[in-house]
Amino acid sequence: MGIPKTTVALALLCGAAAAETVTKSEAYTFWLDTEAQPRAIRTQAELDALWPATYMKGDSVTMTAPGGAETAVVSEASWGGTFPLALASGGLWTFVDSAQGTAQFTVRHSIFGTLGAGTEASPAKVVDAMELVDLVEGGVAGDGYVYALAGDEGLAQRLMMPIGYGAADAGDGKFRLFEDPNVCASGAYLFSLDTIQSGPDRDIRAGRWIMTYSGDEWAGDAAKASTLVVTSPGGAVTTLSLSGTGVTSFRFPHKGDWRAVLTMSNGAVYEAILTVPATGAVIYLR
């Protein structure tokens, strides 16, 4: 996945009375890393392309290697600076900055020739969610292939099964792939992604928007019902009776706070305030 290079120009319009005063910054080029954590390093090329890590004045940084050894990389820095991410083996690497927080990386053992043979005696060490899929598609793994999870604590929930395969517990923290024709994947699906806010409350432009719904917290039962209630800033209420899981469009025609409440068949309730801002100060991003 490439890292987008974006140019930003900002213009602030401060209302009609001062509309003639427009301030525009110089064009500024920056890099934006949108990868989730832990960051999955799958190939030697991805490992070589890692940016140096940054730290600020006063920061201390520790590094924990896959084997558990902890190293002080930076101690109460006198000045801000950078250091290379020397991820020298497969597994989970953890960096903790005293002020900036924690960053984790998983590095595939196949880069270093330490993956394992995929047998009971030498299970493959799987560190990221897509690794099994890549191993099967690459002809490395198949029916009877034995693996163990060697990534972060949440890997078991994110791990993707290859199409046509399931996994059985092989004991001692190991699993064995077996052919299962019931495991399938959907075709390509086009969807919209809002990256402005994490939600659920957010600002939106006036117009028609897509909202998702489910009757069973997205478990997939088409018979489960749900109710979506949207209340306008003026108090008008629109109630939509829905079933299964899907999306519905709704028009937000004017400014104010719109309240959307989704109630599911199991009693779960999700609520969001969708704000259509008034015109005035505007920030342009291009």
Side-chain angles (χ1 to χ4, degrees), residues 181-203:
N182 296 315
V183 177
C184 57
S186 68
Y189 183 75
L190 182 65
F191 64 94
S192 299
L193 177 65
D194 184 349
T195 61
I196 297 176
Q197 295 177 234
S198 59
D201 299 338
R202 63 187 64 236
D203 291 350

Side-chain angles (χ1 to χ4, degrees), residues 243-262:
S243 61
T245 297
V247 297
T248 185
S249 64
F250 193 88
R251 184 169 176 268
F252 299 87
H254 54 81
K255 68 180 181 180
D257 291 336
W258 297 72
R259 182 171 179 259
V261 179
L262 176 67

Side-chain angles (χ1 to χ4, degrees), residues 3-286:
I3 303 297
K5 186 177 181 181
T6 308
T7 300
V8 174
L10 297 178
L12 182 62
L13 307 184
C14 301
E20 69 280 0
T21 303
V22 177
T23 302
K24 184 177 180 180
S25 72
E26 294 296 325
Y28 181 75
T29 300
F30 66 95
W31 293 95
L32 175 65
D33 186 346
T34 60
E35 291 280 355
Q37 285 201 51
R39 170 78 174 272
I41 308 301
R42 304 176 178 90
T43 65
Q44 182 67 53
E46 291 182 359
L47 185 60
D48 294 340
L50 281 175
W51 306 341
T54 61
Y55 58 89
M56 305 297 289
K57 180 180 178 180
D59 289 2
S60 295
V61 181
T62 59
M63 176 183 72
T64 303
E70 185 175 293
T71 303
V73 181
V74 178
S75 297
E76 298 182 356
S78 300
W79 302 97
T82 65
F83 63 89
L85 291 171
L87 310 182
S89 65
L92 177 67
W93 293 79
T94 302
F95 293 83
V96 179
D97 185 298
S98 57
Q100 309 303 323
T102 300
Q104 290 186 312
F105 299 81
T106 55
V107 181
R108 289 190 179 180
H109 285 269
S110 55
I111 298 173
F112 301 94
T114 56
L115 175 64
T119 63
E120 287 275 359
S122 178
K125 296 181 282 292
V126 172
V127 298
D128 67 67
M130 293 302 296
E131 189 165 5
L132 275 181
V133 173
D134 291 343
L135 287 171
V136 169
E137 291 182 351
V140 176
D143 188 47
Y145 192 78
V146 179
Y147 66 93
L149 301 182
D152 66 298
E153 293 182 357
L155 178 58
Q157 287 71 43
R158 302 192 314 274
L159 187 67
M160 297 295 294
M161 281 291 107
I163 298 174
Y165 287 88
D169 191 342
D172 296 327
K174 295 177 286 188
F175 302 88
R176 182 182 291 105
L177 286 179
F178 62 90
E179 293 184 357
D180 184 350
N182 296 315
V183 177
C184 57
S186 68
Y189 183 75
L190 182 65
F191 64 94
S192 299
L193 177 65
D194 184 349
T195 61
I196 297 176
Q197 295 177 234
S198 59
D201 299 338
R202 63 187 64 236
D203 291 350
I204 60 174
R205 296 187 306 274
R208 188 168 292 277
W209 289 80
I210 297 295
M211 295 190 290
T212 62
Y213 64 86
S214 174
D216 59 359
E217 297 190 89
W218 289 271
D221 189 340
K224 296 297 184 181
S226 62
T227 301
L228 179 61
V229 178
V230 180
T231 305
S232 75
V237 176
T238 301
T239 301
L240 302 177
S241 297
L242 307 163
S243 61
T245 297
V247 297
T248 185
S249 64
F250 193 88
R251 184 169 176 268
F252 299 87
H254 54 81
K255 68 180 181 180
D257 291 336
W258 297 72
R259 182 171 179 259
V261 179
L262 176 67
T263 303
M264 302 183 182
S265 59
N266 63 358
V269 177
Y270 290 85
E271 178 179 345
I273 302 298
L274 307 174
T275 301
V276 179
T279 57
V282 178
I283 295 179
Y284 295 98
L285 173 65
R286 74 170 186 263

